[in-house]
Every structure is written in C-alpha cells, then in structure tokens.
Amino acid sequence: MIPDGIAVLAEGLRKRYGAAEALAGVDLSVPAGTVHGLLGPNGAGKTTTVRALATLLRFDAGRAHVAGFDVVEQPDEVRARIGLTGQYAAVDEVLSGRQNLVMFGQLFHLGIRDARRRADELLEQFDLTDAAGKSAAQYSGGMRRRLDLAASLILQPDVLFLDEPTTGLDPRSRNGVWDAVRALVADGTTVLLTTQYLEEADHLAERISVIDTGRVVAEGTSDELKSRIGGDRVEVVVRDGADLAAAAEVVGSVAASAADVDPDTRRVSASVRERVTALGEVVQRLREAGVVVEDIGVRRPTLDEAFLYLTGHRTDQEVPA
Amino acid sequence: MTTEAPVRPGHRAHPAPAATPSARLRWAVADGWVMTKRNMAHVVRAPEEVIIYFTLPIMFVLVFGYVFGSGMSVPGGDGGDAYREFLLPGVFVMTMLYGLGATATGIAMDVGRGVVDRFRSMPVARSALVTGRSLADLFRALLEMATLLVCGLLVGWQWHDGVGNAILAVALILLLRAAITWAGIFLGMLVPNPDTVSVIVFPAAFPLTALSNVFVAPELMPGWLSAVAQWNPLSSTVAAARELFGNPGLGGDSWAADNAILLAVAWPLLLLSVFVPLAVRRYQRLSR
Ligand SMILES: Nc1ncnc2c1ncn2[C@@H]1O[C@H](COP(=O)(O)OP(=O)(O)OP(=O)(O)O)[C@@H](O)[C@H]1O
Ligand SMILES: [Mg+2]
C-alpha cells in the first residue's frame, strides 16, 4: 500500500548496465506538495532515478509509485500527471520555440486554440516572447533550458521532475526557475529536483536525499544533514601549500575528528565542540609549529561538508563507477 | 474537439488516458497527425536538405540520359531518346531509395536528441512518432515524384498508356517508398547516430541500384547478375512502372519479368510486414 499523501515513492530501485550498477536500491518517499532534493555527484544515479520514475527506463528490481499510480503497471496514468525537464533539453531543435510549445500542447490533447494560448502564456512567463519565432537551435543554452521547462509545465503537473534544472543558467534565469518552482509548489505540485548545487537544495528543498554510487546515503532536512556532522567548524587557510600537513595535524589534534584538507584552496577544517577554546588553541599551536596562516575562523558547517562527510568525497569529484 | 479542459496557469488538467480501444485509436490518429505536421514543418523550416536530395536524381538523368545514353541500347529501341524513356522510371525508383537516408537520419536525429524522451514521458500514443514520420515522408515523396515527373517531361520522357495507368505506376512507386520508409525508421533506431546512418546508407544504396534494371536491362547482364537484378525488389517496381507508363525496356522471359506488377505489390508488402513490427518493437524498447 502507498501511504496517503505520498506523491513519489520508490522502494529498492535497482538498475544495472552490464557490470556497472547504476542504482543499487534507491528508496525515496516524497510527501505531496513538497520539494525533495536529490543531491549527488556525477554518476551517482540521479538521472537514472528520475528516468525510472518518469517511465522512461525499465528498472531491474524494486517498485515505484508516482502520483498514485504504479510506474510499471500504469505508465499512461503516470505520464498524464507528470512533467519532466531532463538534464539535456528535450525540445525539437528545428521548430521555433512557439511551435514546440504548441506541438507539445496538442500532444497533451489540448485543442489547437488552447495549445496556442498556453504556448503564448508560457513564452511570456519564461521571457521567451522575443525569441518565440526562432528555431530552438538558435537559442542559447539557457533559453533552451527555459523552453524545456516551459514544455513540462503546459499542463500543471501533479509531480514535476527536474534533473539539474539550473545547470548552465545565469543567476537571473536561475532565480526565474526557482520562482517558477515555488509558485508550482504553492499550487500543490510535488517537485523532485536533482542537483549538484548544495545551495540549490538548501534553498528549495524541504528534504534532501544524498545519493552516491546508486544508493541513498543520507536523508533529512538540510539542517538535519548539517547537524549530523557535528557542531561548529574551525577553518584555517595556510599561505604555503607545503604547510597543509602540519596544519592538518594541529587542527586534528584539537578537534573531535580528523581534519578535512582541500589542497586547491589550501584550507584545513574540522568540527569542534568548544568553539572559542578550540580557536585559541589552534592559533597558539600553529604559531608554535611555525605555520603561516592567511585566514582563520569558526563557522557553521556547509552542506558541502555534510556531503563530504556522508559520502567520503567532495561533490565535484568524479566517482569511479 | 470539445472536451479539452480550459488551461490557465495554475489549472490542473488530466486528460484521462484513452481507455477504450476506439478512444485509443482516435488519439493514435490525432497524435500521429501532430507528428506528421511536425516533420512537414521541418521541411518548410529547413528546405536545404530536400534540395540536396533532388540534385542527385536530376544529375543521374543528365549524366546517364545524355552522356552515356546515346551509346546505350535498350530492348525496343536504340539511341538517346529511347534510353531516356527507359531510364526515367528507374530514376523515379532510385530517388525513392535514396529517401531511405532521409528517413533514417531523421529518426536517428530524433532518438539521439532527447526530444523523444519528452514524447515518451507524455501521454502520447506510442505509435505516433513512427507513423508521423512515415506519413510525412510519404508526403515528401509525393512532392519529389511531382518534381521528377516534370523533369522527365522536360527531357522527353512520356507516359503512353493513359493517365489511369500512369497514376497506378506512381502509386506502386509510392508503395515501395512506404516500405523503404519503414526500413529507414528501423535503421534509424538501430543506429541512432545521423552521421553513421549516411555512412551506411549511401554505399549500400548504390550497388542496390546498379544490380537492378534501373540503368541497364538485366538481359544484357551476365548469368547470375542478371538473375539477381531481375529479382531485386527495385527492379520489380521499375519494370511495373515501365509497363504501366508504356516505356521501353520490357523484355526478358523470366517469371519475374512477366509478373512485374504482381511483384511490385508483393515485395513492398513483404518488406512492410518485416520492418513495421521491427521498427515498432525497437521503439518500444528504446533506452531500456
Ligand atoms: N545508458 C547507460 N549505459 C551504461 N551505463 C550507464 C547508462 N546510463 C547511466 N549509466 C551509468 O550509471 C551511473 C549513474 O548515471 P546517472 O546518469 O544516473 O548519474 P547522475 O547522478 O545523473 O550523474 P550526472 O551528475 O553526471 O548527471 C553512472 O555510472 C553511469 O556511467
Ligand atoms: Mg544526470
């Protein structure tokens, strides 16, 4: 049975490509009318999960319900209730933006007049009116993304899947997408959003599932995820990369756990219990060790660190499949 | 249509998925027609591709008809004029064959570009993409035929047995084109990369036309080549068209030559019965 008020439910989804397991048992449960973030690095299985839930991909094991219907048994019912904006824009490149939206409207079985009216509304809403007559091939990446998003909103869907909807958008377009998502959710749509941007998940999603190598490794609100990695963090930036090891040793000995080291930014950080005492101690020991410090401070952990802690690697690192 | 829901931003509408078989059929036809219009809009918006496809047959008419034509002999006449009368039905059919490339490339482009993912995530009839493509390509073939007929008349080709038979000949040529379209749809899904498609299609199409009665009467070929050329599906349609147009080049005493019209119906139907199910199945299994 599907619990009441759950718009997206996945249990033990598995998908294998040859020897590689893209999904190794994904579980998800998204209450209706909320935004759920699916957060993970490249190759984690985000797109595979979305495609499975959107009836595009047959999975090997597990079950999935979307908008109250079984994805495998009743795909047509599901398709009538979902919108999908995939990772790569799925529009007709030759047709104009307007022709695209009218065509998709007709394929949603709107009459030609309603399809045209809806197309014009969406072009307006997504700031594409001026480019409405141009081929989608002549659109910039951001315009194409917006057209793609508009196409998935022709009928207001019960469940909207957004696979990295703001990748490649400028800040203004990104805010436009976020506003559109918030407006939809206010109207009762459920949104499953994948992203590599922790900031995006933090902003939009009520709950977040962290996914890595085909598994959900953590789930909760962003505050819950942050608190799982402990309290405040001491952060040190050294002037000379050669001092990183020494700094890491100092910070680690003061902190509750081993320090995280980011060689790119010459940054060492670790979570601590007593922020002021710990900071003083770190400053003193670094001076004794002769490490030149460029910056030092105490702050709340970011979701990035939560991610690193949960998956064992950073968001921008490729996972070997 | 009167049942559509009013659509406003913020309005939710679920068109019920077609429940009854007749409703399903109605949507399949409606969706297929939307896809047909989509493909025809492509031709209007990007006509260069069609123009390229036209230059090839016109070039063949000129090169074979005028350069080699005067030296060629055909059963039932000698010299350039007779050869051009003989050649034109072959060029009609050859143009239909080269349409295979256009169809396969179009489908391969769709499948590779992700727009098909959107169709598949929508409550669209599963058959719409392929039926829309085949119908649009048939319209296009009609356009090509009209142009070729005009070209033919300009170089002195004619039909001699009445308009009715001429129309029948064109219908047989279009039937073959329909079969070729479905082969192209299947190929386009098998090799979902437009560049690979053209690398496969063009080298394969030329020998198919050379080993047929398009340029040379099979009776003039050596033994087994002649048999292959006579049983080539292209040859059946070409021979049937020559017969119905009243053009020279009939002859040979093989069964295939005697029953050209029968074979010109049977071959395409056989090809359709193979490629339609293959293409539909392939579409249903995309990206699994
Ligand atoms: N069609 C396919 N054939 C083979 N392997 C695949 C296929 N699709 C996905 N994979 C593999 O499955 C794993 C998950 O891929 P997926 O596209 O779901 O990741 P993702 O989280 O969306 O990554 P990204 O952030 O790069 O979009 C990867 O290891 C990928 O190589
Ligand atoms: Mg992805």
Side-chain angles (χ1 to χ4, degrees):
Chain A
M1 271 315 296
I2 329 149
D4 268 353
I6 297 297
V8 178
L9 181 76
E11 284 176 354
L13 289 191
R14 286 176 177 276
K15 176 71 187 178
R16 172 177 284 286
Y17 288 109
E21 201 158 38
L23 299 182
V26 167
D27 298 311
L28 278 179
S29 170
V30 183
T34 65
V35 181
H36 193 96
L38 203 56
L39 183 63
N42 287 144
K46 303 183 296 294
T47 299
T48 310
T49 304
V50 165
R51 288 174 60 83
L53 293 172
T55 76
L56 293 180
L57 183 97
R58 182 159 284 179
F59 40 90
D60 303 331
R63 63 170 197 146
H65 277 85
V66 170
F69 293 92
D70 189 303
V71 168
V72 177
E73 305 292 329
Q74 296 154 300
D76 283 336
E77 300 281 356
V78 171
R79 289 180 192 124
R81 289 166 175 78
I82 61 170
L84 169 66
T85 301
Q87 188 166 359
Y88 305 101
V91 294
D92 188 307
E93 303 269 324
V94 180
L95 298 186
S96 71
R98 188 163 186 276
Q99 281 177 318
N100 263 289
L101 293 178
V102 172
M103 170 181 72
F104 289 126
Q106 286 189 281
L107 290 174
F108 272 123
H109 302 156
L110 299 178
I112 181 73
R113 263 204 257 155
D114 280 335
R116 287 195 184 128
R117 185 152 44 87
R118 186 64 182 137
D120 290 334
E121 282 168 7
L122 287 165
L123 289 167
E124 175 92 47
Q125 185 187 343
F126 285 93
D127 222 355
L128 291 168
T129 308
D130 291 340
K134 273 205 270 182
S135 283
Q138 294 167 29
Y139 281 21
S140 73
M143 289 160 79
R144 214 171 307 171
R145 273 270 9 121
R146 298 206 302 270
L147 179 63
D148 199 35
L149 189 62
S152 57
L153 301 181
I154 287 172
L155 299 184
Q156 187 181 338
D158 285 356
V159 176
L160 178 62
F161 297 104
L162 298 174
D163 196 0
E164 303 196 19
T166 59
T167 303
L169 292 191
D170 61 27
R172 184 162 153 265
S173 306
R174 190 186 58 182
N175 283 329
V177 169
W178 288 1
D179 288 345
V181 169
R182 289 198 190 97
L184 277 168
V185 172
D187 250 357
T189 293
T190 309
V191 176
L192 182 68
L193 167 111
T194 84
T195 182
Q196 301 186 43
Y197 302 130
L198 305 153
E199 189 202 351
E200 185 162 67
D202 215 357
H203 261 83
L204 282 179
E206 272 109 319
R207 296 183 74 77
I208 297 167
S209 292
V210 180
I211 180 170
D212 189 37
T213 57
R215 264 184 209 85
V216 175
V217 293
E219 210 247 66
T221 64
S222 79
D223 281 342
E224 280 166 11
L225 292 177
K226 285 177 193 170
S227 74
R228 278 198 36 191
I229 68 162
D232 298 324
R233 295 182 73 84
V234 167
E235 186 174 271
V236 176
V237 179
V238 297
R239 172 148 302 159
D240 184 354
D243 286 338
L244 273 172
E249 203 184 306
V250 167
V251 173
S253 68
V254 173
S257 63
D260 298 325
V261 179
D262 183 356
D264 296 340
T265 54
R266 304 188 310 282
R267 198 178 298 260
V268 171
S269 66
S271 66
V272 293
R273 289 211 183 78
E274 294 290 333
R275 42 190 282 153
V276 178
T277 329
L279 184 62
E281 212 168 316
V282 167
V283 169
Q284 191 190 339
R285 291 215 210 159
L286 283 172
R287 194 180 300 131
E288 284 165 14
V291 174
V292 185
V293 171
E294 212 165 69
D295 193 12
I296 189 163
V298 190
R299 54 168 180 73
R300 301 285 303 157
T302 64
L303 212 43
D304 274 299
E305 284 150 351
F307 189 89
L308 177 61
Y309 176 83
L310 293 165
T311 66
H313 52 84
R314 253 182 293 278
T315 48
D316 52 3
Q317 278 173 348
E318 191 92 28
V319 220
Chain B
M1 273 181 268
T2 52
T3 52
E4 66 249 2
V7 181
R8 256 163 261 112
H11 190 95
R12 206 172 285 271
H14 305 135
T20 63
S22 81
R24 266 178 190 282
L25 184 67
R26 213 159 41 95
W27 285 132
V29 172
D31 293 349
W33 181 240
V34 174
M35 293 287 186
T36 308
K37 286 193 298 185
R38 161 180 182 247
N39 289 318
M40 294 200 293
H42 280 192
V43 176
V44 175
R45 290 189 73 92
E48 344 40 270
E49 186 218 8
V50 180
I51 291 166
I52 291 170
Y53 273 94
F54 273 116
T55 54
L56 195 69
I58 292 172
M59 213 175 66
F60 273 103
V61 170
L62 297 179
V63 171
F64 279 86
Y66 288 95
V67 181
F68 303 137
S70 34
M72 297 280 213
S73 68
V74 292
D78 273 326
D81 288 339
Y83 185 68
R84 279 188 289 281
E85 284 260 288
F86 166 85
L87 178 68
L88 258 290
V91 172
F92 298 160
V93 169
M94 192 178 71
T95 308
M96 298 298 117
L97 177 67
Y98 278 98
L100 178 74
T103 303
T105 311
I107 284 280
M109 260 187 323
D110 276 354
V111 173
R113 289 279 169 77
V115 67
V116 166
D117 270 358
R118 179 169 295 289
F119 295 143
R120 290 173 65 238
S121 75
M122 291 170 62
V124 177
R126 302 275 93 176
S127 58
L129 185 84
V130 284
T131 53
R133 164 65 59 181
S134 67
L135 213 60
D137 282 1
L138 220 53
F139 275 120
R140 201 173 130 164
L142 211 62
L143 207 77
E144 291 173 355
M145 270 313 295
T147 311
L148 283 170
L149 288 174
V150 171
C151 283
L153 292 171
L154 286 178
V155 301
W157 166 86
Q158 272 187 327
W159 60 82
H160 303 280
D161 284 349
V163 176
N165 276 349
I167 289 174
L168 208 60
V170 171
L172 285 178
I173 293 171
L174 291 176
L175 178 67
L176 180 71
R177 175 69 168 106
I180 289 169
T181 300
W182 282 94
I185 290 172
F186 178 61
L187 180 70
M189 281 190 281
L190 209 59
V191 189
N193 176 340
D195 298 330
T196 319
V197 166
S198 40
V199 171
I200 293 177
V201 168
F202 293 98
F206 188 73
L208 261 180
T209 49
L211 272 180
S212 76
N213 60 2
V214 168
F215 299 113
V216 178
E219 302 89 79
L220 307 178
M221 298 181 185
W224 66 271
L225 272 183
S226 162
V228 171
Q230 268 168 0
W231 284 96
N232 186 332
L234 297 180
S235 299
S236 305
T237 302
V238 174
R242 283 183 185 138
E243 191 176 328
L244 290 164
F245 285 135
N247 294 142
L250 295 173
D253 35 23
S254 69
W255 189 89
D258 287 343
N259 295 279
I261 293 181
L262 177 70
L263 279 177
V265 175
W267 263 126
L269 291 183
L270 182 73
L271 292 172
L272 281 170
S273 71
V274 171
F275 284 112
V276 171
L278 277 178
V280 169
R281 225 175 57 149
R282 186 84 201 166
Y283 179 65
Q284 282 164 346
R285 294 191 171 181
L286 272 184
S287 67
R288 290 238 164 113

